[in-house]
Amino acid sequence: MNTVKEKWPEIIEHLRVEHELSNVSFNTWIQPLKVYDVVDNTVFILVNMNASVEYIEKKYQLPLKVCIAEITGTEYEVVFISEDDDRLNEIQNMAIEANQKKKSKSAAEKAGLNPKYTFDTFVVGGNNNFAHAASLAVAESPGEVYNPLFLYGGVGLGKTHLMHSIAHFILDKNPKKKVLYVTSETFTNELIEALKNGKTAGNESAMSKFRDKYRNNDVLLIDDIQFIIGKESTQEEFFHTFNHLHTSGKQIIISSDKPPKDIETLEARLRTRFEWGLIADISSPNYETRMAILQKKIELDHLEKYNIPNDVLEYIATNVKTNIRELEGSLNKLIALYKLNNTGSIDIALAAEALKDIISSDNRREVTPELILDIVSEHFGVSISDLKGNKRNAEIVFPRQIAMYLIRNMTETSLKAVGVILGGKDHSTIKHGIEKIENELKADETLSNTINIIKKKINPA
């Protein structure tokens, strides 16, 4: 029940006391009022046929609004409606729709979905129209067409966006559907933990819980499947999970950086199953699509206030060609630099400065400490400023130590220089962080898996 409905007697009693209403006034105008429904932040209050909506609205709307806010702790708009109002059915439908959206949002959060990744925010172009159409078809009829759907393409081209879009679409239509999105890293690490815990007394059910989580779904989405390649136990478990879901008519959606036939270490039986459904590729966007993506980002992130000139957008779209994530990131870097420099306007010179680390004449990107920080930041969902900062909570310390370890091992950077890069940290702090990761790697298979995946993201070659 909504809080306003639940606390309605307390709200009107508060109104009576605060405004010193006489018994006659209270019993005539306030006592008969009933909460018809609450839609988003609006309370619809039903007024008795014998009372005047206009009079009650004029005299009690504001006091009631204040009392509702004081008792519930939330501000609501108040709308009075009579028992014969034509809008009653419309309000009821609005309430049902709002309730459906709440359930859908809750289901999406439980499924691990990004609220920004929907079909509405996806820019369709010649590079992805087939993958988009296939994804929409699967979303409209999960388990009936294209099962499995296998999406492949380079880093940052929109595979994850399409996967989340499918899941959102399905849950919007039916929030009761069981939908689960995970990366192959999560699948592998949870399997490692389940296998390890299953050998411990009292935890024999660990594998049963793992299997229940992944097999008891209407839709399973596994991102970056290439990272389970070469792990025999993981491939074995995924093979049985795939068979269980497919035989039950449940939808499976998989993404990878290459098609099944080009994944050399993929077992033949898995390759065959991946090819049962539809394989759709996403290539790099052309110039027109890149411009459309930039315009869409400006619209979605409300960046119109910066008045970014068209020639600056053209400069970005011309120079950032292969990666949509980098394309959108370029816009963020440009605005951050504009704010930092406090310059009068955004121009091509500023854009060139913002993009100097992204634009390269050589397609093969150099592994630098800055690149490693970018990848670690994205992988763990923590900001670069937190990685460089002094916060001591585990959610930040762990990625920070991994960044220390990778910068030291993948570049020629000295311990002292690593400290400078990570916000001026002491040489001994860096040494301790690196040694901690090195020691844990000897015994922790999950950590080893995570670091290998990050290394592949940093240097896919």
Side-chain angles (χ1 to χ4, degrees):
M1 184 188 282
N2 180 272
T3 317
V4 179
K5 279 187 177 179
E6 191 183 316
K7 297 191 172 183
W8 185 244
E10 189 184 340
I11 290 166
I12 58 173
E13 177 59 23
H14 185 60
L15 178 74
R16 187 184 69 78
V17 173
E18 284 295 308
H19 292 271
E20 300 176 344
L21 299 182
S22 66
N23 287 340
V24 174
S25 295
F26 182 76
N27 292 334
T28 305
W29 305 116
I30 304 303
Q31 186 75 49
L33 298 178
K34 290 183 174 61
V35 177
Y36 180 70
D37 229 319
V38 180
V39 181
D40 296 329
N41 67 332
T42 303
V43 180
F44 292 94
I45 297 172
L46 202 58
V47 179
N48 190 292
M49 284 276 282
N50 301 321
S52 163
V53 171
E54 289 77 13
Y55 175 78
I56 292 175
E57 199 169 74
K58 186 176 178 182
K59 192 163 178 66
Y60 295 109
Q61 187 178 43
L62 186 58
L64 250 179
K65 193 175 171 181
V66 171
C67 288
I68 289 170
E70 285 175 348
I71 299 297
T72 67
T74 307
E75 288 190 12
Y76 289 91
E77 294 301 319
V78 172
V79 175
F80 295 99
I81 48 172
S82 63
E83 290 177 336
D84 60 349
D85 197 304
D86 294 336
R87 295 175 295 164
L88 291 181
N89 284 337
E90 186 189 330
I91 292 164
Q92 208 163 32
N93 290 336
M94 282 163 59
I96 292 167
E97 194 178 315
N99 194 37
Q100 186 86 340
K101 278 183 182 173
K102 272 184 194 168
K103 283 182 184 173
S104 171
K105 187 181 177 186
S106 170
E109 286 169 356
K110 192 177 173 186
L113 303 179
N114 184 330
K116 291 181 179 179
Y117 288 172
T118 66
F119 283 121
D120 288 339
T121 60
F122 189 82
V123 177
V124 183
N127 63 309
N128 59 26
N129 54 0
F130 178 63
H132 174 267
S135 298
L136 188 55
V138 165
E140 289 172 341
S141 306
E144 294 175 26
V145 294
Y146 310 143
N147 197 16
L149 175 64
F150 192 103
L151 301 170
Y152 77 91
V155 176
L157 293 180
K159 301 184 298 294
T160 301
H161 191 145
L162 273 181
M163 293 177 90
H164 284 232
S165 300
I166 295 168
H168 276 300
F169 189 97
I170 291 167
L171 288 171
D172 284 346
K173 278 173 65 178
N174 185 357
K176 290 182 180 176
K177 285 274 188 189
K178 289 185 177 178
V179 175
L180 178 64
Y181 164 87
V182 292
T183 62
S184 65
E185 179 194 1
T186 300
F187 181 88
T188 304
N189 287 348
E190 288 185 2
L191 175 60
I192 291 166
E193 287 301 310
L195 288 168
K196 188 168 71 178
N197 293 337
K199 294 172 185 172
T200 312
N203 286 318
E204 291 82 0
S205 62
M207 274 308 296
S208 298
K209 286 177 184 172
F210 173 86
R211 285 174 180 145
D212 183 60
K213 174 179 176 177
Y214 285 97
R215 298 183 190 186
N216 188 22
N217 289 297
D218 296 304
V219 183
L220 177 65
L221 306 99
I222 303 264
D223 211 349
D224 289 327
I225 200 75
Q226 71 271 17
F227 292 132
I228 72 162
I229 308 314
K231 297 181 175 69
E232 197 175 316
S233 60
T234 313
Q235 289 203 37
E236 177 76 19
E237 187 58 38
F238 186 71
F239 173 77
H240 293 299
T241 300
F242 183 103
N243 280 350
H244 178 86
L245 291 168
H246 199 275
T247 306
S248 308
K250 308 303 184 184
Q251 181 68 49
I252 303 157
I253 299 147
I254 300 162
S255 85
S256 175
D257 61 348
K258 51 176 78 81
K261 66 181 177 64
D262 291 343
I263 305 175
E264 293 171 8
T265 50
L266 183 64
E267 290 179 8
R269 57 182 181 167
L270 271 177
R271 185 181 294 113
T272 304
R273 278 156 179 77
F274 290 170
E275 291 170 348
W276 278 353
L278 182 72
I279 299 169
D281 78 306
I282 304 176
S283 56
S284 298
N286 61 21
Y287 172 77
E288 288 74 18
T289 307
R290 296 197 296 273
M291 281 296 285
I293 289 165
L294 290 171
Q295 297 287 5
K296 189 76 172 178
K297 182 169 175 63
I298 288 169
E299 177 197 331
L300 292 173
D301 292 358
H302 310 295
L303 305 176
E304 295 89 349
K305 61 185 176 184
Y306 294 105
N307 297 315
I308 302 169
N310 212 51
D311 62 345
V312 171
L313 295 179
E314 287 170 357
Y315 177 82
I316 296 172
T318 301
N319 286 286
V320 184
K321 299 176 181 178
T322 56
N323 189 318
I324 293 168
R325 208 174 290 150
E326 281 188 353
L327 189 68
E328 294 180 335
S330 301
L331 215 48
N332 293 336
K333 284 189 176 181
L334 175 67
I335 288 163
L337 192 62
Y338 168 70
K339 287 178 179 175
L340 196 65
N341 290 357
N342 201 19
T343 51
S345 62
I346 294 174
D347 55 20
I348 289 179
L350 191 70
E353 174 67 18
L355 270 61
K356 67 182 180 184
D357 295 330
I358 296 172
I359 299 170
S360 171
S361 55
D362 183 359
N363 286 331
R364 182 180 168 81
R365 62 182 174 180
E366 183 190 351
V367 176
T368 62
E370 290 72 23
L371 174 64
I372 291 170
L373 283 176
D374 274 344
I375 302 289
V376 170
S377 162
E378 182 196 329
H379 187 88
F380 289 102
V382 299
S383 68
I384 289 175
S385 59
D386 276 341
L387 290 177
K388 292 182 174 183
N390 295 312
K391 289 182 183 174
R392 300 297 305 158
N393 46 316
E395 295 81 10
I396 292 165
V397 170
F398 178 60
R400 186 186 291 143
Q401 288 174 337
I402 285 180
M404 292 173 185
Y405 171 81
L406 291 172
I407 292 171
R408 186 75 179 108
N409 282 273
M410 295 185 77
T411 70
E412 298 294 320
T413 313
S414 67
L415 287 174
K416 188 177 179 182
V418 175
V420 172
I421 290 161
L422 285 167
K425 289 180 176 51
D426 186 73
H427 161 278
S428 58
T429 303
I430 302 299
K431 190 168 182 286
H432 167 75
I434 293 169
E435 287 175 353
K436 188 171 186 295
I437 297 297
E438 284 173 344
N439 290 332
E440 287 183 13
L441 275 172
K442 292 170 188 172
D444 192 336
E445 196 182 342
T446 302
L447 176 60
S448 176
N449 181 55
T450 296
I451 285 188
N452 283 335
I453 286 171
I454 297 170
K455 280 183 174 179
K456 285 176 187 171
K457 286 183 177 181
I458 293 166
N459 192 0

